Amino acid sequence: MSLLSVHDLVAQSGPTRVVDGVSFAVRAGRSLGLVGESGSGKSVTCLSVLGLPPRGVQVSGGRVLFDGEDLRAKTPAELHALRGREIGMILQDPMTSLNPLLPIGRQITEMYRYREGVANRKARESRAVELLRRVRVAAPESRLNSYPHEFSGGMRQRVAIAMNLACNPRLLIADEPTTALDITVRLQILDLLREVQAERGTAIMLVTHDLPLVRRYCDDVAVMYAGRIVEQGPVEQVFARPRHPYTKGLLGAVPRLRDLQHRLTVIPGQPPSPGSIAQGCRFAPRCPRAQADCLSAYPATRAVDAHRSVACWHPEPDARTPDALLATAAS
Ligand SMILES: Nc1ncnc2c1ncn2[C@@H]1O[C@H](COP(=O)(O)OP(=O)(O)O)[C@@H](O)[C@H]1O
Ligand code: SF4
Ligand SMILES: [Mg+2]
């Protein structure tokens, strides 16, 4: 079952649609990786789902259902209550989750007091210390009285992650949560998120441009290009047999998938800027499979398998062997 489902979400800056009809679902207890080059609309998508579009951007269409409830119909106060209780958010700027005026120990212990009803102060403090240790904050006992500004950027992000874990949300939206952290800490934090997911059944939406990370940590993947989702499906299937030429290009740009230090290098050419989008497929100028008809209309998203969809007029052939195809057809 989907905990979060987004249908045809549109967010625009003036007349320009920076998110243009995006649909995806995050299943309860599962993790969805949202990937795509910088500027493709990943952050605006997350912020729009949370009801916090950036200044200058309006959410102008679509439905956002969380556990069956339409978030777009909620008041700002209702959304505020939902965020931090049911929906956690770890954004690129950790200060969105932290209160600059309170020592971090207080922020975490208050969470335990109000959300989990832990009455004893010492018990709350020891849980806060334990949590800070889990996000690899050194000497956590001595940091409880520090304010957010006394931490470095990377350390602040770890504290923000701890805060979110203390809330015990059902859905965690993490937008490049570990980009500012070095590789070792990044992997530790992601392992921690995965542990938490296994322990508590938290659903996670992880935004990243790091494909090896998605392969290692996510169940499902949605690939975004120029404001739209071009391919979606279970990670192992999409990575093994990408059907959209853009996905194939992204995967081809990562020669060694096991090398987590390898950052995504881009496919030749540039994505279009949102205002410049003409009709037809937005990937056409960079697409090795483009044909004349690709420019006539945007390809509709269609199912290519039980759990997979692709928006392309001429998708990559399904590279499965005839035997595997027959087995799927029979199942
Ligand atoms: N506050 C804003 N006002 C107007 N346009 C914006 C704003 N924030 C982002 N955009 C535009 O929306 C597009 C998508 O941005 P973003 O969601 O940040 O991409 P990503 O997170 O995938 O790198 C970009 O073209 C960006 O210029
Ligand atoms: S619709 Fe055409 S141009 Fe677009 S990705 Fe598919 S083949 Fe390439
Ligand atoms: Mg972003």
Side-chain angles (χ1 to χ4, degrees), residues 1-4 26-31 170 197 201-204 219:
M1 210 207 71
S2 297
L3 181 60
L4 174 73
V26 186
R27 292 185 268 172
R30 307 263 289 181
S31 54
R170 285 202 284 162
Q197 183 179 32
T202 318
I204 297 181
D219 301 303

Side-chain angles (χ1 to χ4, degrees), residues 37-184:
E37 280 163 287
S38 179
S40 54
K42 305 182 297 296
S43 293
V44 173
T45 298
C46 292
L47 292 167
S48 301
V49 165
L50 291 161
L52 297 170
R55 189 186 290 271
V57 173
Q58 284 84 40
V59 181
S60 56
R63 284 196 306 157
V64 178
L65 299 179
F66 176 72
D67 203 12
E69 286 190 71
D70 187 354
L71 296 191
R72 289 196 63 212
K74 296 214 174 282
T75 64
E78 288 169 333
L79 276 177
H80 183 80
L82 208 60
R83 287 190 303 262
R85 192 174 65 223
E86 307 263 333
I87 307 179
M89 52 182 188
I90 307 173
L91 302 179
Q92 268 155 319
D93 174 8
M95 287 310 282
T96 44
S97 319
L98 298 175
N99 181 340
L101 303 175
L102 281 182
I104 58 116
R106 267 281 293 289
Q107 300 191 44
I108 299 175
T109 54
E110 294 292 280
M111 209 63 90
Y112 283 126
R113 170 147 62 168
Y114 293 113
R115 305 244 194 275
E116 302 208 1
V118 182
N120 181 287
R121 189 172 61 91
K122 279 272 163 266
R124 289 197 300 269
E125 275 183 13
S126 69
R127 286 180 73 168
V129 164
E130 172 54 26
L131 198 55
L132 290 172
R133 186 170 289 124
R134 283 185 84 179
V135 293
R136 305 293 190 280
V137 170
E141 300 84 354
S142 66
R143 302 308 305 262
L144 290 180
N145 291 322
S146 307
Y147 288 84
H149 73 263
E150 297 176 74
F151 289 85
S152 68
M155 200 62 90
R156 214 178 282 157
Q157 186 61 298
R158 292 187 232 177
V159 173
I161 290 167
M163 285 279 296
N164 274 281
L165 297 180
C167 298
N168 197 7
R170 285 202 284 162
L171 170 69
L172 189 58
I173 296 183
D175 187 0
E176 314 247 8
T178 57
T179 305
L181 306 176
D182 70 46
I183 182 74
T184 319

